[in-house]
Amino acid sequence: GQWPQFVYGLPELQIADRANLVDVLFRKAFDNGLADRPFLRSERITLTYADALERVRRIAQVLTEDFPLVPGHRVLLRGGNSIGMALAWLGVVYAGMVAVATMPLLRAKELGDIIEKARPALALCDASLLEELETAWSGHAAQGDIVMFNAMSTPGSLAVRSAAKDGNARPCDVLADDAALLAFTSGTTGQPKAAVHTHRDVLAACETEAMVQRIHRVGATILYTAPTFYRQMASFAKLRGTPSLRLCVSAGENLPDATRQLWKDATGIAIVDGIGATEMFHIFISSAGANVRRGAIGKVVPGYTAKVVDDNGSEVPPGVVGKLAVIGPTGCRYLDDPRQAHYVKDGWNYPGDAFTQDAEGYFFFQARADDMIITSGYNVAGPEVEGALLAHPAVAECAVIGVSDAMRGMVVKAFVVLKPTETAGDAMVQLLQDHVKSTLAPFKYPRQIEFRHELPRTPTGKLQRFKLRTP
């Protein structure tokens, strides 16, 4: 009863009731004559679509023949941006299991929270990232084994196991509405939420953004990244040129107009801005570069409907700030989480953003509606950082907020009250920053720390964050 309403209004969104997304996408590539074209490329190797499919089938055989896994089992994936990670993900979903991908920066504590929620039956882990996962795996009494990938000759590794298979695995016959992946996102409390996405969701996402076209030349032609990195790369792009790029998409945080203009001056390409959410799996508001309106993210993506509403869910007039509500072919379905009732109301998804909309249908981002800090495209929950700081013996109390930053959009700032025996100063700043880095993913550490004698609180002891946000 708390699920969002799903709308499949476009002809492209009429997906068969039984559909394995990996099988469907590979077959579409083959039908378009791409079997022998490059699909995955690294400095060491290039795989065609046909090469990749054979490896995916071998991985699927490993999962179903070497381990007691059946469709629906969750498989945790830990790795960076590598061909090994991509093939592992595809193999898991091809075999009918549920992929639970995790960022390589996560520490044992954060991985442990995910393990508790997802309850994976197996883990596939990059050999270089094994230590933190092993700590989390044993600490949470996880079931099943950890199998390494990107470990070519190691006995028991995914590569060695796959080499022993014949590559004839058939795709698991799944319903389009069966779960394909769990995408973890952090709320303001820092407790992980698992958004459930189906095979239909992924296939729908592939059909609703008209800008995405298949790679047809050697070299990168499409670039997706956060505004922070467009700003950092602009000077290099201007110096060296980017002859193969034809499309640049920004997402993850608000795109400042200054960054958009800086990149256009460096490359001649107008960035396509967009906003999406882990819960929605896809960008739902975007604007083609040629049609951008200065200051606006853009208009609603075909297949979706969006509106700006008040607290009662009633649409507000143009120019009035309100909450963004979205409906379309994808939507939020948290795994066993009471916060579902806050994200979905009357079938509409509420991503937690404040927006305005003009009379022509352009949407203008205002702010996050909660205390989430978005820094360089990463979501950071203030209370989670506070918990890490409070674990240090020198800290008496603290509060964490996000503050504006020209390079990163926002940065994490901590207000810290030290214990009477401790001394404030640069050495203490470094000590606390290193402590957070060792406890949480490094991007969560407070880049700014301000020492206070006390924090603003109400007579009942509640922290008044709004006073910290006021200069």
Side-chain angles (χ1 to χ4, degrees), residues 340-368:
Q340 177 75 18
H342 299 288
Y343 202 100
V344 177
K345 300 174 183 178
D346 297 324
W348 287 78
N349 300 273
Y350 285 75
D353 299 293
F355 268 80
T356 62
Q357 184 180 17
D358 67 13
E360 285 73 41
Y362 282 91
F363 287 85
F364 296 79
F365 176 80
Q366 303 299 309
R368 286 290 295 171

PDB file of all heavy atoms in Angstrom, residues 340-368:
ATOM      1  N   GLN A 340       9.708   4.491   4.125  1.00  0.00           N
ATOM      2  CA  GLN A 340       8.950   4.409   2.880  1.00  0.00           C
ATOM      3  C   GLN A 340       7.757   5.360   2.913  1.00  0.00           C
ATOM      4  O   GLN A 340       7.422   6.005   1.912  1.00  0.00           O
ATOM      5  CB  GLN A 340       8.472   2.973   2.655  1.00  0.00           C
ATOM      6  CG  GLN A 340       7.603   2.778   1.426  1.00  0.00           C
ATOM      7  CD  GLN A 340       8.389   2.802   0.127  1.00  0.00           C
ATOM      8  OE1 GLN A 340       9.598   2.635   0.133  1.00  0.00           O
ATOM      9  NE2 GLN A 340       7.709   2.999  -0.981  1.00  0.00           N
ATOM     10  N   ALA A 341       7.101   5.441   4.077  1.00  0.00           N
ATOM     11  CA  ALA A 341       5.893   6.264   4.200  1.00  0.00           C
ATOM     12  C   ALA A 341       6.194   7.748   4.056  1.00  0.00           C
ATOM     13  O   ALA A 341       5.295   8.536   3.736  1.00  0.00           O
ATOM     14  CB  ALA A 341       5.221   6.004   5.550  1.00  0.00           C
ATOM     15  N   HIS A 342       7.432   8.145   4.269  1.00  0.00           N
ATOM     16  CA  HIS A 342       7.804   9.554   4.115  1.00  0.00           C
ATOM     17  C   HIS A 342       8.187   9.878   2.673  1.00  0.00           C
ATOM     18  O   HIS A 342       8.014  11.004   2.221  1.00  0.00           O
ATOM     19  CB  HIS A 342       8.965   9.905   5.054  1.00  0.00           C
ATOM     20  CG  HIS A 342       8.650   9.723   6.498  1.00  0.00           C
ATOM     21  ND1 HIS A 342       7.808  10.561   7.191  1.00  0.00           N
ATOM     22  CD2 HIS A 342       9.044   8.776   7.384  1.00  0.00           C
ATOM     23  CE1 HIS A 342       7.709  10.159   8.447  1.00  0.00           C
ATOM     24  NE2 HIS A 342       8.450   9.070   8.585  1.00  0.00           N
ATOM     25  N   TYR A 343       8.720   8.872   1.970  1.00  0.00           N
ATOM     26  CA  TYR A 343       9.174   9.126   0.599  1.00  0.00           C
ATOM     27  C   TYR A 343       8.023   9.067  -0.395  1.00  0.00           C
ATOM     28  O   TYR A 343       8.007   9.816  -1.375  1.00  0.00           O
ATOM     29  CB  TYR A 343      10.246   8.107   0.201  1.00  0.00           C
ATOM     30  CG  TYR A 343      11.143   8.577  -0.928  1.00  0.00           C
ATOM     31  CD1 TYR A 343      12.400   9.098  -0.660  1.00  0.00           C
ATOM     32  CD2 TYR A 343      10.724   8.510  -2.257  1.00  0.00           C
ATOM     33  CE1 TYR A 343      13.228   9.548  -1.690  1.00  0.00           C
ATOM     34  CE2 TYR A 343      11.538   8.953  -3.283  1.00  0.00           C
ATOM     35  CZ  TYR A 343      12.784   9.473  -3.005  1.00  0.00           C
ATOM     36  OH  TYR A 343      13.579   9.909  -4.020  1.00  0.00           O
ATOM     37  N   VAL A 344       7.086   8.154  -0.187  1.00  0.00           N
ATOM     38  CA  VAL A 344       5.958   7.979  -1.108  1.00  0.00           C
ATOM     39  C   VAL A 344       4.659   8.364  -0.415  1.00  0.00           C
ATOM     40  O   VAL A 344       4.344   7.850   0.659  1.00  0.00           O
ATOM     41  CB  VAL A 344       5.875   6.523  -1.614  1.00  0.00           C
ATOM     42  CG1 VAL A 344       4.653   6.356  -2.515  1.00  0.00           C
ATOM     43  CG2 VAL A 344       7.146   6.139  -2.358  1.00  0.00           C
ATOM     44  N   LYS A 345       3.931   9.288  -1.037  1.00  0.00           N
ATOM     45  CA  LYS A 345       2.645   9.733  -0.502  1.00  0.00           C
ATOM     46  C   LYS A 345       1.641   9.804  -1.643  1.00  0.00           C
ATOM     47  O   LYS A 345       1.890  10.467  -2.654  1.00  0.00           O
ATOM     48  CB  LYS A 345       2.783  11.111   0.161  1.00  0.00           C
ATOM     49  CG  LYS A 345       3.764  11.128   1.330  1.00  0.00           C
ATOM     50  CD  LYS A 345       3.991  12.532   1.867  1.00  0.00           C
ATOM     51  CE  LYS A 345       5.029  12.518   2.984  1.00  0.00           C
ATOM     52  NZ  LYS A 345       5.322  13.889   3.497  1.00  0.00           N
ATOM     53  N   ASP A 346       0.536   9.086  -1.489  1.00  0.00           N
ATOM     54  CA  ASP A 346      -0.518   9.040  -2.508  1.00  0.00           C
ATOM     55  C   ASP A 346       0.037   8.636  -3.873  1.00  0.00           C
ATOM     56  O   ASP A 346      -0.387   9.147  -4.911  1.00  0.00           O
ATOM     57  CB  ASP A 346      -1.230  10.389  -2.608  1.00  0.00           C
ATOM     58  CG  ASP A 346      -1.940  10.757  -1.316  1.00  0.00           C
ATOM     59  OD1 ASP A 346      -2.472   9.839  -0.658  1.00  0.00           O
ATOM     60  OD2 ASP A 346      -1.942  11.946  -0.961  1.00  0.00           O
ATOM     61  N   GLY A 347       1.028   7.743  -3.865  1.00  0.00           N
ATOM     62  CA  GLY A 347       1.600   7.248  -5.114  1.00  0.00           C
ATOM     63  C   GLY A 347       2.707   8.097  -5.699  1.00  0.00           C
ATOM     64  O   GLY A 347       3.389   7.676  -6.630  1.00  0.00           O
ATOM     65  N   TRP A 348       2.921   9.302  -5.156  1.00  0.00           N
ATOM     66  CA  TRP A 348       3.951  10.209  -5.656  1.00  0.00           C
ATOM     67  C   TRP A 348       5.230  10.059  -4.829  1.00  0.00           C
ATOM     68  O   TRP A 348       5.188   9.828  -3.629  1.00  0.00           O
ATOM     69  CB  TRP A 348       3.480  11.664  -5.587  1.00  0.00           C
ATOM     70  CG  TRP A 348       2.445  11.997  -6.619  1.00  0.00           C
ATOM     71  CD1 TRP A 348       1.109  11.686  -6.567  1.00  0.00           C
ATOM     72  CD2 TRP A 348       2.639  12.689  -7.846  1.00  0.00           C
ATOM     73  NE1 TRP A 348       0.469  12.142  -7.698  1.00  0.00           N
ATOM     74  CE2 TRP A 348       1.372  12.770  -8.499  1.00  0.00           C
ATOM     75  CE3 TRP A 348       3.751  13.263  -8.465  1.00  0.00           C
ATOM     76  CZ2 TRP A 348       1.210  13.396  -9.737  1.00  0.00           C
ATOM     77  CZ3 TRP A 348       3.591  13.886  -9.695  1.00  0.00           C
ATOM     78  CH2 TRP A 348       2.329  13.950 -10.324  1.00  0.00           C
ATOM     79  N   ASN A 349       6.380  10.203  -5.511  1.00  0.00           N
ATOM     80  CA  ASN A 349       7.685  10.144  -4.855  1.00  0.00           C
ATOM     81  C   ASN A 349       8.128  11.544  -4.454  1.00  0.00           C
ATOM     82  O   ASN A 349       8.049  12.485  -5.250  1.00  0.00           O
ATOM     83  CB  ASN A 349       8.725   9.546  -5.810  1.00  0.00           C
ATOM     84  CG  ASN A 349       8.369   8.145  -6.259  1.00  0.00           C
ATOM     85  OD1 ASN A 349       8.699   7.168  -5.599  1.00  0.00           O
ATOM     86  ND2 ASN A 349       7.673   8.040  -7.390  1.00  0.00           N
ATOM     87  N   TYR A 350       8.612  11.666  -3.222  1.00  0.00           N
ATOM     88  CA  TYR A 350       9.106  12.944  -2.713  1.00  0.00           C
ATOM     89  C   TYR A 350      10.603  12.811  -2.425  1.00  0.00           C
ATOM     90  O   TYR A 350      10.995  12.328  -1.361  1.00  0.00           O
ATOM     91  CB  TYR A 350       8.362  13.328  -1.440  1.00  0.00           C
ATOM     92  CG  TYR A 350       6.951  13.825  -1.673  1.00  0.00           C
ATOM     93  CD1 TYR A 350       5.923  12.947  -1.987  1.00  0.00           C
ATOM     94  CD2 TYR A 350       6.653  15.178  -1.589  1.00  0.00           C
ATOM     95  CE1 TYR A 350       4.629  13.397  -2.217  1.00  0.00           C
ATOM     96  CE2 TYR A 350       5.351  15.645  -1.806  1.00  0.00           C
ATOM     97  CZ  TYR A 350       4.353  14.747  -2.120  1.00  0.00           C
ATOM     98  OH  TYR A 350       3.074  15.200  -2.339  1.00  0.00           O
ATOM     99  N   PRO A 351      11.466  13.230  -3.377  1.00  0.00           N
ATOM    100  CA  PRO A 351      12.914  13.040  -3.208  1.00  0.00           C
ATOM    101  C   PRO A 351      13.535  13.855  -2.084  1.00  0.00           C
ATOM    102  O   PRO A 351      14.693  13.627  -1.738  1.00  0.00           O
ATOM    103  CB  PRO A 351      13.483  13.470  -4.573  1.00  0.00           C
ATOM    104  CG  PRO A 351      12.325  13.405  -5.506  1.00  0.00           C
ATOM    105  CD  PRO A 351      11.132  13.758  -4.701  1.00  0.00           C
ATOM    106  N   GLY A 352      12.806  14.839  -1.544  1.00  0.00           N
ATOM    107  CA  GLY A 352      13.346  15.632  -0.451  1.00  0.00           C
ATOM    108  C   GLY A 352      14.041  16.895  -0.903  1.00  0.00           C
ATOM    109  O   GLY A 352      14.918  17.399  -0.209  1.00  0.00           O
ATOM    110  N   ASP A 353      13.637  17.426  -2.059  1.00  0.00           N
ATOM    111  CA  ASP A 353      14.240  18.648  -2.601  1.00  0.00           C
ATOM    112  C   ASP A 353      13.220  19.772  -2.666  1.00  0.00           C
ATOM    113  O   ASP A 353      12.037  19.541  -2.929  1.00  0.00           O
ATOM    114  CB  ASP A 353      14.773  18.396  -4.016  1.00  0.00           C
ATOM    115  CG  ASP A 353      15.839  17.331  -4.045  1.00  0.00           C
ATOM    116  OD1 ASP A 353      16.919  17.582  -3.494  1.00  0.00           O
ATOM    117  OD2 ASP A 353      15.595  16.251  -4.613  1.00  0.00           O
ATOM    118  N   ALA A 354      13.702  20.984  -2.419  1.00  0.00           N
ATOM    119  CA  ALA A 354      12.867  22.167  -2.567  1.00  0.00           C
ATOM    120  C   ALA A 354      13.129  22.782  -3.939  1.00  0.00           C
ATOM    121  O   ALA A 354      14.276  22.975  -4.343  1.00  0.00           O
ATOM    122  CB  ALA A 354      13.172  23.186  -1.466  1.00  0.00           C
ATOM    123  N   PHE A 355      12.053  23.104  -4.666  1.00  0.00           N
ATOM    124  CA  PHE A 355      12.142  23.593  -6.041  1.00  0.00           C
ATOM    125  C   PHE A 355      11.153  24.723  -6.266  1.00  0.00           C
ATOM    126  O   PHE A 355      10.207  24.912  -5.493  1.00  0.00           O
ATOM    127  CB  PHE A 355      11.788  22.473  -7.029  1.00  0.00           C
ATOM    128  CG  PHE A 355      12.958  21.676  -7.527  1.00  0.00           C
ATOM    129  CD1 PHE A 355      13.499  20.668  -6.750  1.00  0.00           C
ATOM    130  CD2 PHE A 355      13.507  21.933  -8.769  1.00  0.00           C
ATOM    131  CE1 PHE A 355      14.567  19.920  -7.219  1.00  0.00           C
ATOM    132  CE2 PHE A 355      14.571  21.186  -9.245  1.00  0.00           C
ATOM    133  CZ  PHE A 355      15.105  20.184  -8.470  1.00  0.00           C
ATOM    134  N   THR A 356      11.380  25.461  -7.345  1.00  0.00           N
ATOM    135  CA  THR A 356      10.352  26.305  -7.945  1.00  0.00           C
ATOM    136  C   THR A 356      10.215  25.877  -9.407  1.00  0.00           C
ATOM    137  O   THR A 356      11.119  25.244  -9.968  1.00  0.00           O
ATOM    138  CB  THR A 356      10.702  27.800  -7.889  1.00  0.00           C
ATOM    139  OG1 THR A 356      11.901  28.028  -8.649  1.00  0.00           O
ATOM    140  CG2 THR A 356      10.895  28.282  -6.462  1.00  0.00           C
ATOM    141  N   GLN A 357       9.076  26.219 -10.004  1.00  0.00           N
ATOM    142  CA  GLN A 357       8.851  25.931 -11.421  1.00  0.00           C
ATOM    143  C   GLN A 357       8.297  27.187 -12.074  1.00  0.00           C
ATOM    144  O   GLN A 357       7.465  27.879 -11.480  1.00  0.00           O
ATOM    145  CB  GLN A 357       7.873  24.768 -11.584  1.00  0.00           C
ATOM    146  CG  GLN A 357       7.672  24.341 -13.045  1.00  0.00           C
ATOM    147  CD  GLN A 357       6.690  23.183 -13.172  1.00  0.00           C
ATOM    148  OE1 GLN A 357       5.936  22.906 -12.240  1.00  0.00           O
ATOM    149  NE2 GLN A 357       6.688  22.526 -14.310  1.00  0.00           N
ATOM    150  N   ASP A 358       8.781  27.496 -13.285  1.00  0.00           N
ATOM    151  CA  ASP A 358       8.243  28.682 -13.961  1.00  0.00           C
ATOM    152  C   ASP A 358       7.081  28.289 -14.863  1.00  0.00           C
ATOM    153  O   ASP A 358       6.719  27.106 -14.984  1.00  0.00           O
ATOM    154  CB  ASP A 358       9.338  29.434 -14.723  1.00  0.00           C
ATOM    155  CG  ASP A 358       9.901  28.659 -15.912  1.00  0.00           C
ATOM    156  OD1 ASP A 358       9.294  27.646 -16.318  1.00  0.00           O
ATOM    157  OD2 ASP A 358      10.944  29.075 -16.446  1.00  0.00           O
ATOM    158  N   ALA A 359       6.492  29.295 -15.510  1.00  0.00           N
ATOM    159  CA  ALA A 359       5.291  29.063 -16.310  1.00  0.00           C
ATOM    160  C   ALA A 359       5.562  28.189 -17.532  1.00  0.00           C
ATOM    161  O   ALA A 359       4.636  27.582 -18.080  1.00  0.00           O
ATOM    162  CB  ALA A 359       4.704  30.409 -16.752  1.00  0.00           C
ATOM    163  N   GLU A 360       6.822  28.124 -17.987  1.00  0.00           N
ATOM    164  CA  GLU A 360       7.172  27.323 -19.161  1.00  0.00           C
ATOM    165  C   GLU A 360       7.564  25.883 -18.796  1.00  0.00           C
ATOM    166  O   GLU A 360       7.952  25.109 -19.665  1.00  0.00           O
ATOM    167  CB  GLU A 360       8.321  27.976 -19.934  1.00  0.00           C
ATOM    168  CG  GLU A 360       7.905  29.194 -20.736  1.00  0.00           C
ATOM    169  CD  GLU A 360       7.633  30.391 -19.833  1.00  0.00           C
ATOM    170  OE1 GLU A 360       8.410  30.591 -18.864  1.00  0.00           O
ATOM    171  OE2 GLU A 360       6.624  31.092 -20.064  1.00  0.00           O
ATOM    172  N   GLY A 361       7.496  25.541 -17.527  1.00  0.00           N
ATOM    173  CA  GLY A 361       7.780  24.176 -17.120  1.00  0.00           C
ATOM    174  C   GLY A 361       9.219  23.895 -16.741  1.00  0.00           C
ATOM    175  O   GLY A 361       9.581  22.733 -16.538  1.00  0.00           O
ATOM    176  N   TYR A 362      10.063  24.927 -16.609  1.00  0.00           N
ATOM    177  CA  TYR A 362      11.439  24.722 -16.174  1.00  0.00           C
ATOM    178  C   TYR A 362      11.481  24.639 -14.647  1.00  0.00           C
ATOM    179  O   TYR A 362      10.806  25.413 -13.956  1.00  0.00           O
ATOM    180  CB  TYR A 362      12.339  25.869 -16.647  1.00  0.00           C
ATOM    181  CG  TYR A 362      12.721  25.755 -18.107  1.00  0.00           C
ATOM    182  CD1 TYR A 362      11.933  26.354 -19.089  1.00  0.00           C
ATOM    183  CD2 TYR A 362      13.852  25.070 -18.498  1.00  0.00           C
ATOM    184  CE1 TYR A 362      12.275  26.259 -20.435  1.00  0.00           C
ATOM    185  CE2 TYR A 362      14.207  24.974 -19.842  1.00  0.00           C
ATOM    186  CZ  TYR A 362      13.417  25.561 -20.796  1.00  0.00           C
ATOM    187  OH  TYR A 362      13.755  25.454 -22.120  1.00  0.00           O
ATOM    188  N   PHE A 363      12.304  23.711 -14.143  1.00  0.00           N
ATOM    189  CA  PHE A 363      12.428  23.505 -12.703  1.00  0.00           C
ATOM    190  C   PHE A 363      13.732  24.112 -12.201  1.00  0.00           C
ATOM    191  O   PHE A 363      14.790  23.919 -12.813  1.00  0.00           O
ATOM    192  CB  PHE A 363      12.390  22.011 -12.373  1.00  0.00           C
ATOM    193  CG  PHE A 363      11.029  21.393 -12.516  1.00  0.00           C
ATOM    194  CD1 PHE A 363      10.580  20.942 -13.752  1.00  0.00           C
ATOM    195  CD2 PHE A 363      10.201  21.270 -11.417  1.00  0.00           C
ATOM    196  CE1 PHE A 363       9.318  20.370 -13.887  1.00  0.00           C
ATOM    197  CE2 PHE A 363       8.935  20.701 -11.536  1.00  0.00           C
ATOM    198  CZ  PHE A 363       8.494  20.252 -12.768  1.00  0.00           C
ATOM    199  N   PHE A 364      13.647  24.799 -11.056  1.00  0.00           N
ATOM    200  CA  PHE A 364      14.799  25.477 -10.459  1.00  0.00           C
ATOM    201  C   PHE A 364      15.032  24.914  -9.058  1.00  0.00           C
ATOM    202  O   PHE A 364      14.171  25.040  -8.183  1.00  0.00           O
ATOM    203  CB  PHE A 364      14.567  26.984 -10.387  1.00  0.00           C
ATOM    204  CG  PHE A 364      14.430  27.651 -11.725  1.00  0.00           C
ATOM    205  CD1 PHE A 364      13.234  27.580 -12.439  1.00  0.00           C
ATOM    206  CD2 PHE A 364      15.488  28.348 -12.282  1.00  0.00           C
ATOM    207  CE1 PHE A 364      13.090  28.188 -13.674  1.00  0.00           C
ATOM    208  CE2 PHE A 364      15.369  28.961 -13.526  1.00  0.00           C
ATOM    209  CZ  PHE A 364      14.177  28.880 -14.222  1.00  0.00           C
ATOM    210  N   PHE A 365      16.195  24.299  -8.872  1.00  0.00           N
ATOM    211  CA  PHE A 365      16.543  23.723  -7.574  1.00  0.00           C
ATOM    212  C   PHE A 365      16.794  24.833  -6.551  1.00  0.00           C
ATOM    213  O   PHE A 365      17.468  25.824  -6.836  1.00  0.00           O
ATOM    214  CB  PHE A 365      17.792  22.848  -7.710  1.00  0.00           C
ATOM    215  CG  PHE A 365      18.304  22.281  -6.419  1.00  0.00           C
ATOM    216  CD1 PHE A 365      17.713  21.163  -5.860  1.00  0.00           C
ATOM    217  CD2 PHE A 365      19.378  22.870  -5.769  1.00  0.00           C
ATOM    218  CE1 PHE A 365      18.189  20.631  -4.664  1.00  0.00           C
ATOM    219  CE2 PHE A 365      19.860  22.346  -4.577  1.00  0.00           C
ATOM    220  CZ  PHE A 365      19.266  21.225  -4.022  1.00  0.00           C
ATOM    221  N   GLN A 366      16.289  24.638  -5.327  1.00  0.00           N
ATOM    222  CA  GLN A 366      16.498  25.600  -4.250  1.00  0.00           C
ATOM    223  C   GLN A 366      17.419  25.047  -3.168  1.00  0.00           C
ATOM    224  O   GLN A 366      18.401  25.681  -2.807  1.00  0.00           O
ATOM    225  CB  GLN A 366      15.149  25.988  -3.629  1.00  0.00           C
ATOM    226  CG  GLN A 366      14.159  26.565  -4.628  1.00  0.00           C
ATOM    227  CD  GLN A 366      14.664  27.842  -5.276  1.00  0.00           C
ATOM    228  OE1 GLN A 366      15.086  28.777  -4.606  1.00  0.00           O
ATOM    229  NE2 GLN A 366      14.621  27.877  -6.607  1.00  0.00           N
ATOM    230  N   ALA A 367      17.078  23.872  -2.640  1.00  0.00           N
ATOM    231  CA  ALA A 367      17.882  23.295  -1.563  1.00  0.00           C
ATOM    232  C   ALA A 367      17.381  21.895  -1.260  1.00  0.00           C
ATOM    233  O   ALA A 367      16.297  21.502  -1.694  1.00  0.00           O
ATOM    234  CB  ALA A 367      17.811  24.157  -0.300  1.00  0.00           C
ATOM    235  N   ARG A 368      18.170  21.151  -0.500  1.00  0.00           N
ATOM    236  CA  ARG A 368      17.682  19.897   0.064  1.00  0.00           C
ATOM    237  C   ARG A 368      16.705  20.213   1.179  1.00  0.00           C
ATOM    238  O   ARG A 368      16.887  21.150   1.946  1.00  0.00           O
ATOM    239  CB  ARG A 368      18.838  19.078   0.631  1.00  0.00           C
ATOM    240  CG  ARG A 368      19.704  18.432  -0.403  1.00  0.00           C
ATOM    241  CD  ARG A 368      19.023  17.302  -1.123  1.00  0.00           C
ATOM    242  NE  ARG A 368      18.701  16.163  -0.256  1.00  0.00           N
ATOM    243  CZ  ARG A 368      17.964  15.140  -0.621  1.00  0.00           C
ATOM    244  NH1 ARG A 368      17.427  15.116  -1.817  1.00  0.00           N
ATOM    245  NH2 ARG A 368      17.745  14.141   0.196  1.00  0.00           N
TER     246      ARG A 368
END
